[in-house]
mmCIF file of all heavy atoms in Angstrom:
data_model
loop_
_atom_site.group_PDB
_atom_site.id
_atom_site.type_symbol
_atom_site.label_atom_id
_atom_site.label_comp_id
_atom_site.label_asym_id
_atom_site.label_seq_id
_atom_site.Cartn_x
_atom_site.Cartn_y
_atom_site.Cartn_z
ATOM 1 N N CYS A 72 -16.342 -27.628 -0.697
ATOM 2 C CA CYS A 72 -15.240 -28.429 -1.228
ATOM 3 C C CYS A 72 -14.858 -27.919 -2.611
ATOM 4 O O CYS A 72 -15.719 -27.670 -3.453
ATOM 5 C CB CYS A 72 -15.670 -29.890 -1.297
ATOM 6 S SG CYS A 72 -14.470 -30.976 -2.100
ATOM 7 N N GLN A 73 -13.552 -27.775 -2.849
ATOM 8 C CA GLN A 73 -13.081 -27.322 -4.149
ATOM 9 C C GLN A 73 -12.893 -28.478 -5.123
ATOM 10 O O GLN A 73 -12.490 -28.281 -6.267
ATOM 11 C CB GLN A 73 -11.760 -26.572 -3.989
ATOM 12 C CG GLN A 73 -11.876 -25.270 -3.212
ATOM 13 C CD GLN A 73 -12.799 -24.292 -3.916
ATOM 14 O OE1 GLN A 73 -12.577 -23.908 -5.059
ATOM 15 N NE2 GLN A 73 -13.861 -23.887 -3.234
ATOM 16 N N ARG A 74 -13.219 -29.678 -4.672
ATOM 17 C CA ARG A 74 -13.139 -30.853 -5.530
ATOM 18 C C ARG A 74 -14.484 -31.121 -6.208
ATOM 19 O O ARG A 74 -14.569 -31.295 -7.414
ATOM 20 C CB ARG A 74 -12.715 -32.069 -4.707
ATOM 21 C CG ARG A 74 -12.620 -33.369 -5.489
ATOM 22 C CD ARG A 74 -12.516 -34.554 -4.539
ATOM 23 N NE ARG A 74 -11.355 -34.437 -3.679
ATOM 24 C CZ ARG A 74 -10.186 -34.995 -3.930
ATOM 25 N NH1 ARG A 74 -10.028 -35.719 -5.012
ATOM 26 N NH2 ARG A 74 -9.171 -34.863 -3.093
ATOM 27 N N HIS A 76 -17.435 -29.146 -5.688
ATOM 28 C CA HIS A 76 -18.249 -27.939 -5.874
ATOM 29 C C HIS A 76 -19.724 -28.192 -5.545
ATOM 30 O O HIS A 76 -20.590 -28.172 -6.415
ATOM 31 C CB HIS A 76 -18.121 -27.437 -7.313
ATOM 32 C CG HIS A 76 -16.724 -27.105 -7.717
ATOM 33 N ND1 HIS A 76 -16.048 -26.002 -7.240
ATOM 34 C CD2 HIS A 76 -15.852 -27.749 -8.535
ATOM 35 C CE1 HIS A 76 -14.834 -25.971 -7.755
ATOM 36 N NE2 HIS A 76 -14.684 -27.025 -8.535
ATOM 37 N N GLY A 126 -3.357 -27.626 -18.081
ATOM 38 C CA GLY A 126 -4.305 -26.954 -17.214
ATOM 39 C C GLY A 126 -4.741 -27.828 -16.046
ATOM 40 O O GLY A 126 -5.038 -27.328 -14.957
ATOM 41 N N SER A 127 -4.784 -29.144 -16.260
ATOM 42 C CA SER A 127 -5.215 -30.066 -15.213
ATOM 43 C C SER A 127 -4.123 -30.378 -14.213
ATOM 44 O O SER A 127 -4.389 -30.531 -13.015
ATOM 45 C CB SER A 127 -5.708 -31.381 -15.835
ATOM 46 O OG SER A 127 -6.838 -31.169 -16.646
ATOM 47 N N LEU A 128 -2.884 -30.487 -14.674
ATOM 48 C CA LEU A 128 -1.793 -30.908 -13.797
ATOM 49 C C LEU A 128 -0.744 -29.843 -13.532
ATOM 50 O O LEU A 128 0.106 -30.006 -12.660
ATOM 51 C CB LEU A 128 -1.102 -32.144 -14.381
ATOM 52 C CG LEU A 128 -1.902 -33.442 -14.307
ATOM 53 C CD1 LEU A 128 -1.139 -34.579 -14.981
ATOM 54 C CD2 LEU A 128 -2.218 -33.801 -12.880
ATOM 55 N N GLY A 129 -0.789 -28.768 -14.299
ATOM 56 C CA GLY A 129 0.193 -27.711 -14.080
ATOM 57 C C GLY A 129 1.524 -27.983 -14.743
ATOM 58 O O GLY A 129 2.496 -27.263 -14.501
ATOM 59 N N THR A 201 -7.958 -32.854 3.573
ATOM 60 C CA THR A 201 -9.139 -33.532 3.052
ATOM 61 C C THR A 201 -8.816 -34.896 2.455
ATOM 62 O O THR A 201 -9.707 -35.704 2.237
ATOM 63 C CB THR A 201 -9.818 -32.667 1.965
ATOM 64 O OG1 THR A 201 -8.877 -32.368 0.937
ATOM 65 C CG2 THR A 201 -10.354 -31.387 2.555
ATOM 66 N N LYS A 251 2.145 -25.839 3.212
ATOM 67 C CA LYS A 251 1.102 -24.936 2.725
ATOM 68 C C LYS A 251 1.037 -24.944 1.204
ATOM 69 O O LYS A 251 -0.044 -24.965 0.613
ATOM 70 C CB LYS A 251 1.361 -23.514 3.225
ATOM 71 C CG LYS A 251 0.298 -22.503 2.800
ATOM 72 C CD LYS A 251 0.614 -21.111 3.336
ATOM 73 C CE LYS A 251 -0.435 -20.105 2.876
ATOM 74 N NZ LYS A 251 -0.129 -18.730 3.354
ATOM 75 N N ARG A 252 2.191 -24.951 0.556
ATOM 76 C CA ARG A 252 2.216 -24.971 -0.914
ATOM 77 C C ARG A 252 1.588 -26.250 -1.453
ATOM 78 O O ARG A 252 0.841 -26.224 -2.441
ATOM 79 C CB ARG A 252 3.659 -24.864 -1.415
ATOM 80 C CG ARG A 252 4.256 -23.468 -1.292
ATOM 81 C CD ARG A 252 5.648 -23.437 -1.894
ATOM 82 N NE ARG A 252 5.620 -23.818 -3.296
ATOM 83 C CZ ARG A 252 6.704 -24.213 -3.981
ATOM 84 N NH1 ARG A 252 7.875 -24.276 -3.375
ATOM 85 N NH2 ARG A 252 6.611 -24.525 -5.245
ATOM 86 N N ILE A 253 1.892 -27.377 -0.817
ATOM 87 C CA ILE A 253 1.332 -28.645 -1.270
ATOM 88 C C ILE A 253 -0.171 -28.662 -1.087
ATOM 89 O O ILE A 253 -0.922 -29.063 -1.986
ATOM 90 C CB ILE A 253 1.989 -29.822 -0.511
ATOM 91 C CG1 ILE A 253 3.468 -29.926 -0.888
ATOM 92 C CG2 ILE A 253 1.282 -31.136 -0.837
ATOM 93 C CD1 ILE A 253 4.238 -30.943 -0.070
ATOM 94 N N LEU A 254 -0.642 -28.217 0.066
ATOM 95 C CA LEU A 254 -2.079 -28.195 0.322
ATOM 96 C C LEU A 254 -2.798 -27.260 -0.642
ATOM 97 O O LEU A 254 -3.888 -27.564 -1.130
ATOM 98 C CB LEU A 254 -2.352 -27.774 1.768
ATOM 99 C CG LEU A 254 -1.909 -28.769 2.844
ATOM 100 C CD1 LEU A 254 -2.196 -28.211 4.226
ATOM 101 C CD2 LEU A 254 -2.602 -30.109 2.663
ATOM 102 N N GLU A 255 -2.197 -26.106 -0.930
ATOM 103 C CA GLU A 255 -2.801 -25.170 -1.883
ATOM 104 C C GLU A 255 -2.889 -25.802 -3.267
ATOM 105 O O GLU A 255 -3.870 -25.627 -3.987
ATOM 106 C CB GLU A 255 -1.982 -23.883 -1.943
ATOM 107 C CG GLU A 255 -2.147 -22.999 -0.710
ATOM 108 C CD GLU A 255 -1.239 -21.785 -0.745
ATOM 109 O OE1 GLU A 255 -0.314 -21.755 -1.600
ATOM 110 O OE2 GLU A 255 -1.439 -20.870 0.081
ATOM 111 N N TYR A 256 -1.842 -26.554 -3.630
ATOM 112 C CA TYR A 256 -1.860 -27.228 -4.928
ATOM 113 C C TYR A 256 -2.974 -28.260 -4.986
ATOM 114 O O TYR A 256 -3.738 -28.338 -5.955
ATOM 115 C CB TYR A 256 -0.519 -27.906 -5.180
ATOM 116 C CG TYR A 256 -0.492 -28.728 -6.447
ATOM 117 C CD1 TYR A 256 -0.215 -28.136 -7.675
ATOM 118 C CD2 TYR A 256 -0.764 -30.096 -6.418
ATOM 119 C CE1 TYR A 256 -0.211 -28.892 -8.837
ATOM 120 C CE2 TYR A 256 -0.760 -30.854 -7.573
ATOM 121 C CZ TYR A 256 -0.478 -30.246 -8.782
ATOM 122 O OH TYR A 256 -0.488 -30.992 -9.922
ATOM 123 N N LEU A 257 -3.095 -29.054 -3.927
ATOM 124 C CA LEU A 257 -4.084 -30.118 -3.913
ATOM 125 C C LEU A 257 -5.511 -29.583 -3.877
ATOM 126 O O LEU A 257 -6.436 -30.221 -4.368
ATOM 127 C CB LEU A 257 -3.844 -31.034 -2.710
ATOM 128 C CG LEU A 257 -2.552 -31.849 -2.764
ATOM 129 C CD1 LEU A 257 -2.322 -32.550 -1.435
ATOM 130 C CD2 LEU A 257 -2.596 -32.860 -3.894
ATOM 131 N N GLU A 258 -5.715 -28.403 -3.278
ATOM 132 C CA GLU A 258 -7.050 -27.846 -3.158
ATOM 133 C C GLU A 258 -7.408 -26.900 -4.297
ATOM 134 O O GLU A 258 -8.540 -26.455 -4.396
ATOM 135 C CB GLU A 258 -7.179 -27.075 -1.833
ATOM 136 C CG GLU A 258 -7.006 -27.941 -0.596
ATOM 137 C CD GLU A 258 -8.117 -28.955 -0.422
ATOM 138 O OE1 GLU A 258 -9.138 -28.838 -1.116
ATOM 139 O OE2 GLU A 258 -7.955 -29.876 0.390
ATOM 140 N N GLU A 259 -6.446 -26.580 -5.157
ATOM 141 C CA GLU A 259 -6.691 -25.640 -6.250
ATOM 142 C C GLU A 259 -7.573 -26.291 -7.310
ATOM 143 O O GLU A 259 -7.209 -27.337 -7.866
ATOM 144 C CB GLU A 259 -5.366 -25.199 -6.867
ATOM 145 C CG GLU A 259 -5.502 -24.377 -8.146
ATOM 146 C CD GLU A 259 -6.348 -23.127 -7.944
ATOM 147 O OE1 GLU A 259 -6.168 -22.452 -6.918
ATOM 148 O OE2 GLU A 259 -7.183 -22.855 -8.802
ATOM 149 N N PRO A 260 -8.730 -25.725 -7.631
ATOM 150 C CA PRO A 260 -9.641 -26.350 -8.587
ATOM 151 C C PRO A 260 -9.029 -26.607 -9.944
ATOM 152 O O PRO A 260 -9.402 -27.552 -10.627
ATOM 153 C CB PRO A 260 -10.785 -25.322 -8.683
ATOM 154 C CG PRO A 260 -10.720 -24.560 -7.414
ATOM 155 C CD PRO A 260 -9.267 -24.489 -7.058
ATOM 156 N N SER A 261 -8.095 -25.795 -10.387
ATOM 157 C CA SER A 261 -7.532 -25.961 -11.727
ATOM 158 C C SER A 261 -6.418 -26.994 -11.781
ATOM 159 O O SER A 261 -5.881 -27.262 -12.845
ATOM 160 C CB SER A 261 -6.982 -24.617 -12.228
ATOM 161 O OG SER A 261 -5.897 -24.193 -11.422
ATOM 162 N N CYS A 262 -6.084 -27.581 -10.634
ATOM 163 C CA CYS A 262 -4.951 -28.514 -10.600
ATOM 164 C C CYS A 262 -5.397 -29.958 -10.497
ATOM 165 O O CYS A 262 -4.882 -30.729 -9.691
ATOM 166 C CB CYS A 262 -4.008 -28.166 -9.447
ATOM 167 S SG CYS A 262 -3.088 -26.637 -9.741
ATOM 168 N N GLY A 263 -6.353 -30.351 -11.298
ATOM 169 C CA GLY A 263 -6.688 -31.756 -11.433
ATOM 170 C C GLY A 263 -7.287 -32.416 -10.209
ATOM 171 O O GLY A 263 -6.972 -33.562 -9.917
ATOM 172 N N LEU A 264 -8.198 -31.731 -9.506
ATOM 173 C CA LEU A 264 -8.756 -32.316 -8.297
ATOM 174 C C LEU A 264 -9.590 -33.558 -8.574
ATOM 175 O O LEU A 264 -9.809 -34.353 -7.678
ATOM 176 C CB LEU A 264 -9.600 -31.276 -7.561
ATOM 177 C CG LEU A 264 -8.796 -30.219 -6.801
ATOM 178 C CD1 LEU A 264 -9.740 -29.184 -6.219
ATOM 179 C CD2 LEU A 264 -7.996 -30.855 -5.682
ATOM 180 N N ASP A 265 -10.074 -33.731 -9.794
ATOM 181 C CA ASP A 265 -10.853 -34.917 -10.109
ATOM 182 C C ASP A 265 -9.980 -36.073 -10.558
ATOM 183 O O ASP A 265 -10.478 -37.139 -10.898
ATOM 184 C CB ASP A 265 -11.882 -34.603 -11.218
ATOM 185 C CG ASP A 265 -12.985 -33.681 -10.717
ATOM 186 O OD1 ASP A 265 -13.348 -33.803 -9.533
ATOM 187 O OD2 ASP A 265 -13.462 -32.862 -11.496
ATOM 188 N N LEU A 266 -8.669 -35.874 -10.572
ATOM 189 C CA LEU A 266 -7.749 -36.911 -10.986
ATOM 190 C C LEU A 266 -7.288 -37.719 -9.783
ATOM 191 O O LEU A 266 -7.298 -37.230 -8.657
ATOM 192 C CB LEU A 266 -6.536 -36.296 -11.689
ATOM 193 C CG LEU A 266 -6.847 -35.523 -12.977
ATOM 194 C CD1 LEU A 266 -5.591 -34.828 -13.482
ATOM 195 C CD2 LEU A 266 -7.396 -36.462 -14.045
ATOM 196 N N ARG A 271 -1.762 -36.693 -9.157
ATOM 197 C CA ARG A 271 -1.496 -35.339 -8.677
ATOM 198 C C ARG A 271 -0.213 -35.303 -7.848
ATOM 199 O O ARG A 271 0.544 -34.331 -7.889
ATOM 200 C CB ARG A 271 -2.696 -34.842 -7.864
ATOM 201 C CG ARG A 271 -3.872 -34.476 -8.749
ATOM 202 C CD ARG A 271 -5.044 -34.026 -7.917
ATOM 203 N NE ARG A 271 -5.758 -35.168 -7.356
ATOM 204 C CZ ARG A 271 -6.171 -35.246 -6.103
ATOM 205 N NH1 ARG A 271 -5.913 -34.268 -5.268
ATOM 206 N NH2 ARG A 271 -6.834 -36.298 -5.687
#
Side-chain angles (χ1 to χ4, degrees):
C72 174
Q73 294 299 301
R74 179 193 301 265
H76 301 288
S127 297
L128 288 177
T201 56
K251 182 180 179 182
R252 285 184 59 198
I253 294 173
L254 292 178
E255 287 175 347
Y256 175 85
L257 293 171
E258 297 293 348
E259 172 57 43
S261 65
C262 289
L264 284 175
D265 291 326
L266 298 173
R271 286 179 281 135

